[in-house]
């Protein structure tokens, strides 16, 4: 029976999830990522899993290529054309600072100043032409850009959200001059009035578009050589999928596709297990990604700061990331304090114990020294059968000499630091936002996450940790279970009472039609279409908006009441009779794929089988610790801590004074006490 494959390309490992029923894993595997060409790792995973090409109907893919290109500045040589007087909008930004205290810091815009150009043109906020385009000026500029040998050109003009005619005309002229240029107009990426954010978002798109275009072509060619010619979809940052053939025009939408996939899978698994409020924690080789899910829905952010003054004004799952992963490097700072991350050993050279030439101690090395992971059964490595325990001990010992600690004490200190870093970010999304962590479950995943989840829930005060059946490849599973999604937005920036019901219905209908047309162009089998409408609203005079769910048949009064409900829920009260404004309308159109829905009874408690083995594991001291095989644990079984539970894609640590039970769906629920 043919099935679906989800593949997530991470910074250290490429994960594969293969399923014939859409929810249960028939095969999973991890292989080292290949940063020089991520498609190599993808094909390696397919070959390692021994999946025949004719046994796959659909490949769904999450990738870090866009994120890495931004971090490493490996995007296209890009130029920016803007309205006269706005050349420096990328550097002016919102007049913010890289550090809250102090007036120093570096800014590294994606397009340097000598590649940013102004032209004579102007429209007002209504889209009315004040100064027409000088076509000769544009043609002369085109010749200059040819001399600069640019790959992509971004056109972002003042008030183009209201009328994109000037942007389109400039693009037409430039294509006549050089058809090979990748040309991006800001209004084609986002039709909203935030000039800085709109320009920045268009620049991200232009900066990534040539790279993503080449990657998409290369990926399809590699899959074709492998023997697969059916549909391939790529995960977007909003939690939805897009066909790889559309990837070029949606390059900015896949900046954080991998983390988004993990949140989607975690939300679905948690809801099935009976948890409607969860915090998701994804710890891989380089980072720890945290998100909040309320009532089964991931939190969506309209704007995300990729780095200082590089905002992305697109709907994205609100994922907070810190440099805390299995490959995070432990070091001593100038003050003599132990630091862990954000520097990472990555896939190459990787942790010392991987044997790829790494010399600096990492979190993975610390876990190995404390015997929490099995040196005789390395996960995801192809270069060696056992981990280099002695090399890890020597690297950690050198660090310990500077701290005056022994090897085990230094390793435990490394874990204490990284665990507190992750707990701090988890608190930021819960306690510091007014949520009670006792109302949440922590869904922990990633190759390294289950090693650290118990320490996180103890530090934050979360009652339950949920470990999915295949936590090490959950982002790959998220790709496999996600739906196709498009978000369409449009700035209107008017008082709510200036609209009538018919105008609102017409705007929303136009957005819905645009989204449905994109779905039809996919040629992907979907079960039905789900449409959700939103209004970005604020009180008159306010800058920050709230996203308000609305219906297409609502008039301004009903929308106003919905805003008050959302405002009251967010802030505890309203501002009375002050007028409200609708800044923009937004529509999410989802093509819902076929999904398996399960509703299983709570299993009766039964004894767990004897452990497969025991080994000494360090928990403040050496403890003879039972080692269980995850696949031997059936629903209803309970494992008391301390214990280690091993499986093909990760290792789970159950700390002393904790217990884990298997629920009806095969999840491990770990609780304190």
């Amino acid at each position: 029976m043919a099935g679906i494959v989800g593949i997530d390309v991470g910074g250290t490992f490429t994960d594969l999830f293969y399923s014939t029923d859409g929810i249960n894993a028939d095969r999973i595997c991890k292989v080292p990522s290949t940063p020089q060409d991520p498609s190599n790792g993808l094909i390696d995973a397919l070959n390692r899993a021994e999946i025949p090409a004719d046994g796959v109907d659909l490949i769904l893919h999450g990738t870090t290529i866009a994120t890495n290109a931004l971090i490493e500045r490996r995007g296209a040589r890009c130029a920016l054309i803007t309205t006269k007087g706005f050349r420096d909008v990328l550097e002016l930004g919102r007049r913010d600072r890289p550090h809250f205290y102090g007036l120093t810091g570096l800014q590294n815009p994606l397009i340097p100043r000598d590649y940013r150009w102004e032209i004579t043109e102007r429209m007002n906020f209504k889209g009315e032409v004040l100064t027409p385009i000088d076509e000769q000026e544009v043609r002369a500029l085109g010749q200059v850009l040819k001399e600069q040998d640019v790959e992509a050109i971004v056109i972002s003009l003042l008030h183009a959200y209201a009328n994109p005619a000037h942007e389109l005309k400039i693009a037409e002229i430039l294509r006549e001059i050089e058809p090979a240029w990748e040309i991006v107009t800001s209004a084609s990426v986002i039709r909203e009035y935030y000039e800085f954010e709109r320009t920045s978002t268009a620049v991200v798109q232009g900066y990534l578009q040539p790279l993503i275009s080449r990657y998409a072509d290369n990926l399809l060619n590699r899959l074709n050589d492998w023997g697969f010619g059916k549909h391939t979809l790529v995960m977007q940052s909003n939690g939805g999928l897009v066909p790889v053939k559309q990837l070029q025009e949606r390059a900015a939408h896949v900046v954080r596709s991998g983390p988004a996939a993990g949140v989607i899978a975690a939300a679905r698994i948690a809801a099935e297990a009976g948890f409607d409020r969860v915090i998701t924690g994804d710890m891989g080789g380089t980072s720890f990604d945290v998100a909040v899910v309320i009532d089964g829905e991931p939190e969506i952010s309209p704007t995300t700061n990729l780095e200082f003054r590089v905002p992305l004004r697109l709907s994205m799952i609100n994922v907070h990331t810190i440099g805390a992963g299995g490959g995070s490097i432990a070091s001593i700072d100038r003050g003599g304090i132990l630091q862990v991350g954000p520097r990472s050993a990555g896939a190459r050279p990787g942790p010392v114990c991987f044997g790829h030439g790494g010399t600096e101690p990492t979190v993975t090395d610390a876990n190995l020294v404390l015997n929490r992971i099995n040196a005789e059964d390395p996960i995801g490595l192809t270069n060696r059968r056992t981990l280099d325990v002695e090399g890890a001990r020597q690297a950690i010992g050198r660090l310990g000499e500077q701290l005056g600690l022994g090897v085990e004490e230094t390793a435990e200190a490394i874990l204490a630091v990284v665990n507190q870093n992750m707990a701090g970010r988890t608190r930021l999304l819960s306690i510091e936002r007014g949520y009670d962590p006792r109302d949440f479950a922590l869904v922990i995943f990633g190759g390294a996450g289950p090693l650290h989840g118990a320490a996180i829930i103890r530090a934050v005060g979360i009652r339950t940790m949920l470990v999915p059946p295949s936590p090490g490849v959950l982002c790959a599973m998220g790709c496999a279970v996600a739906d196709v999604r498009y978000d369409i937005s449009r700035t209107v920036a008017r008082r709510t009472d200036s609209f009538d019901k018919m105008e609102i219905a017409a705007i929303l209908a136009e957005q819905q039609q645009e989204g449905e047309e994109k779905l039809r162009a996919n040629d992907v089998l979907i079960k039905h279409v789900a449409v959700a409408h939103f209004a970005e609203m604020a009180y008159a005079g306010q800058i920050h908006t709230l996203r308000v769910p609305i219906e297409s048949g609502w008039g301004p009064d009903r929308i106003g009441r919905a805003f008050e409900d959302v405002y009251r829920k967010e802030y505890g009260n309203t501002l009375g009779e002050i007028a409200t404004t609708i800044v923009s309308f937004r529509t999410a159109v989802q093509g819902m794929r076929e999904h398996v829905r399960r509703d299983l009874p709570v299993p009766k408690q039964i004894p767990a089988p004897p452990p497969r083995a025991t080994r000494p594991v360090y928990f403040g001291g050496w403890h003879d610790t039972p080692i269980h095989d995850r696949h031997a644990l059936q629903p209803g079984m309970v494992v008391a801590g301390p214990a280690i539970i091993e499986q093909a894609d990760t290792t789970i640590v159950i700390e002393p004074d904790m217990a884990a039970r298997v629920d009806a769906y095969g999840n491990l629920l770990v609780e304190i006490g």
Side-chain angles (χ1 to χ4, degrees):
M1 179 180 179
I4 59 174
V5 171
I7 300 180
D8 176 56
V9 179
T12 305
F13 288 109
T14 294
D15 304 333
L16 179 143
F17 173 93
Y18 173 71
S19 175
T20 54
D21 64 9
I23 191 166
N24 293 300
D26 292 288
R27 298 180 197 176
I28 62 173
C29 75
K30 298 173 79 73
V31 299
S33 292
T34 51
Q36 70 280 4
D37 183 356
S39 66
N40 286 339
L42 186 147
I43 297 298
D44 289 345
L46 289 167
N47 290 330
R48 171 72 70 84
E50 298 181 346
I51 300 173
D54 58 4
V56 179
D57 282 334
L58 192 63
I59 291 179
L60 308 114
H61 172 35
T63 177
T64 58
I65 184 172
T67 305
N68 293 340
L70 289 170
I71 293 172
E72 299 169 14
R73 288 298 195 267
R74 291 188 292 102
R77 182 183 295 107
C78 208
L80 172 65
I81 298 175
T82 189
T83 304
K84 183 165 289 186
F86 289 83
R87 176 185 184 185
D88 295 318
V89 65
L90 293 179
E91 291 182 86
L92 292 173
R94 293 291 174 188
R95 303 304 299 151
D96 51 348
R97 294 177 289 184
H99 306 292
F100 191 77
Y101 297 102
L103 298 175
T104 62
L106 297 176
Q107 181 177 0
N108 186 15
L110 295 176
I111 301 179
R113 196 170 195 269
D114 55 343
Y115 282 79
R116 304 198 299 259
W117 300 90
E118 299 177 345
I119 63 164
T120 304
E121 71 82 40
R122 191 65 176 253
M123 287 190 181
N124 65 15
F125 71 97
K126 297 180 181 179
E128 300 166 343
V129 177
L130 301 179
T131 304
I133 291 175
D134 183 341
E135 294 191 16
Q136 292 305 314
E137 181 185 19
V138 175
R139 295 184 185 280
L141 176 56
Q143 297 304 317
V144 174
L145 294 176
K146 288 189 71 172
E147 294 176 5
Q148 286 191 321
D149 193 27
V150 297
E151 296 176 79
I153 300 172
V154 177
I155 307 166
S156 182
L157 305 179
L158 196 65
H159 303 307
Y161 64 90
N163 183 353
H166 281 183
E167 287 190 349
L168 295 174
K169 184 61 179 178
I170 293 171
E172 178 186 333
I173 294 172
L174 294 178
R175 287 192 181 98
E176 293 175 1
I177 296 173
E178 179 53 80
W181 279 333
E182 300 271 6
I183 298 178
V184 175
T185 62
S186 71
S188 68
V189 179
I190 172 177
R191 292 198 64 170
E192 297 189 21
Y193 76 161
Y194 304 92
E195 299 301 330
F196 167 51
E197 288 81 2
R198 176 163 54 85
T199 301
S200 176
T201 301
V203 166
V204 171
Q205 171 68 31
Y207 186 76
L208 295 175
Q209 188 164 300
L211 173 71
I212 296 298
S213 178
R214 290 192 294 270
Y215 175 71
D217 291 341
N218 184 45
L219 176 61
L220 290 176
N221 289 334
R222 295 296 304 277
L223 288 173
N224 187 65
D225 293 341
W226 181 67
F228 181 78
K230 299 178 183 178
H231 296 300
T232 302
L233 304 178
V234 178
M235 193 74 185
Q236 299 179 102
S237 308
N238 63 5
L241 296 160
V242 63
V244 70
K245 63 184 180 182
Q246 296 180 12
L247 198 55
Q248 172 185 348
E249 64 194 57
R250 300 186 68 81
H253 293 258
V254 297
V255 167
R256 290 183 178 169
S257 74
V263 177
I264 290 296
R268 183 158 297 177
I269 287 173
E272 188 178 57
F275 298 96
D276 60 353
R277 289 193 164 206
V278 299
I279 297 171
T280 68
D282 176 9
M283 185 182 184
T286 57
S287 65
F288 179 64
D289 302 317
V290 195
V292 171
V293 177
I294 304 292
D295 297 329
E297 292 295 328
E299 184 180 49
I300 300 292
S301 174
T303 303
T304 300
N305 288 313
L306 303 179
E307 56 182 70
F308 177 58
R309 285 194 189 151
V310 186
L312 191 63
R313 181 75 184 175
L314 295 172
S315 291
M316 298 175 66
I317 291 179
N318 190 14
V319 177
H320 289 235
T321 302
I322 61 172
S328 292
I329 294 170
S331 60
I332 308 296
D333 68 12
R334 290 186 298 174
I337 305 299
L338 176 64
Q339 302 289 338
V340 182
R343 280 198 311 128
S344 174
R348 293 289 190 278
V352 176
C353 63
F354 282 10
H356 290 308
T359 59
E360 296 180 279
T362 67
V363 172
T364 296
D365 295 311
N367 276 309
L368 178 63
V369 165
L370 299 180
N371 233 6
R372 299 190 177 193
I373 56 180
N374 187 354
E376 302 300 319
D377 188 19
I379 296 173
L381 292 187
T382 56
N383 64 312
R384 59 187 305 143
R385 295 180 179 229
T386 62
L387 296 174
D388 184 2
V389 179
E390 188 55 36
R393 288 186 63 86
Q394 291 177 5
I396 290 177
R398 290 191 295 269
L399 188 70
E401 290 174 1
Q402 302 177 60
L403 295 169
L405 298 175
V407 174
E408 288 79 12
E409 290 80 6
T410 304
E412 195 167 46
I414 291 171
L415 298 190
V417 171
V418 75
N419 289 338
Q420 283 302 319
N421 289 344
M422 293 186 289
R425 188 48 60 109
T426 306
R427 290 190 196 96
L428 181 67
L429 267 70
S430 56
I431 298 171
E432 297 181 25
R433 295 180 56 190
Y435 295 127
D436 187 340
R438 292 171 296 185
D439 296 334
F440 288 76
L442 174 68
V443 181
I444 196 74
F445 54 100
L451 283 160
H452 299 262
I456 294 172
I457 66 171
R458 190 188 296 277
V460 179
I462 296 172
R463 289 177 173 171
T464 304
M465 174 176 76
L466 187 155
V467 187
S470 303
V473 297
L474 197 74
C475 289
M477 177 189 174
C479 296
V481 302
D483 300 301
V484 184
R485 174 169 173 155
Y486 295 94
D487 287 87
I488 299 97
S489 64
R490 173 183 166 187
T491 287
V492 289
R494 285 164 46 190
R495 280 178 52 142
T496 306
D497 56 15
S498 70
F499 290 91
D500 60 45
K501 183 183 294 188
M502 297 298 293
E503 183 181 8
I504 294 170
I507 294 172
L508 298 181
E510 180 183 346
Q511 292 182 335
Q512 179 174 339
Q513 180 180 0
E514 180 181 345
E516 290 177 344
E517 287 176 353
K518 291 180 177 179
L519 283 180
R520 286 192 290 271
N522 288 340
D523 193 27
V524 175
L525 182 63
I526 58 177
K527 186 176 181 181
H528 67 276
V529 176
V531 179
H533 300 295
F534 305 90
E536 305 281 353
M537 299 181 68
Y539 281 108
Q542 289 183 334
I543 296 176
H544 300 290
T545 62
L546 289 176
R547 177 171 292 190
V548 180
I550 63 173
E551 301 291 340
S552 60
W554 288 4
D557 291 341
R558 181 66 185 88
I559 291 177
R561 293 196 300 273
F563 169 74
E564 289 181 347
D565 292 340
V566 173
Y567 198 94
R568 187 180 295 107
K569 183 178 180 180
E570 182 74 16
Y571 299 110
N573 60 10
T574 66
L575 300 187
E577 300 301 319
I578 296 178
T580 63
T581 61
I582 299 177
V583 175
S584 61
F585 287 108
R586 187 180 299 270
T587 298
V589 180
Q590 292 191 82
M592 311 298 287
R593 297 167 49 230
E594 186 76 44
H595 297 298
V596 176
R597 305 292 181 185
R598 300 180 296 177
D599 186 12
L600 303 178
V602 177
K604 294 181 180 180
Q605 186 169 320
I606 57 177
R612 174 168 52 83
T614 60
R615 69 169 180 257
V617 179
Y618 199 89
F619 294 102
W622 291 105
H623 295 259
D624 285 334
T625 303
I627 311 299
H628 292 270
D629 187 340
R630 176 86 184 258
H631 297 293
L633 300 179
Q634 302 301 315
M637 291 181 175
V638 177
V639 175
I644 300 294
I645 300 174
E646 296 179 344
Q647 57 187 97
D649 56 333
T650 191
T651 299
I652 305 158
V653 171
I654 312 299
E655 292 191 350
D657 303 323
M658 292 188 181
R661 60 185 171 89
V662 185
D663 73 0
Y665 304 96
N667 304 303
L668 272 179
L669 305 180
V670 181
E671 297 176 337
I672 301 173

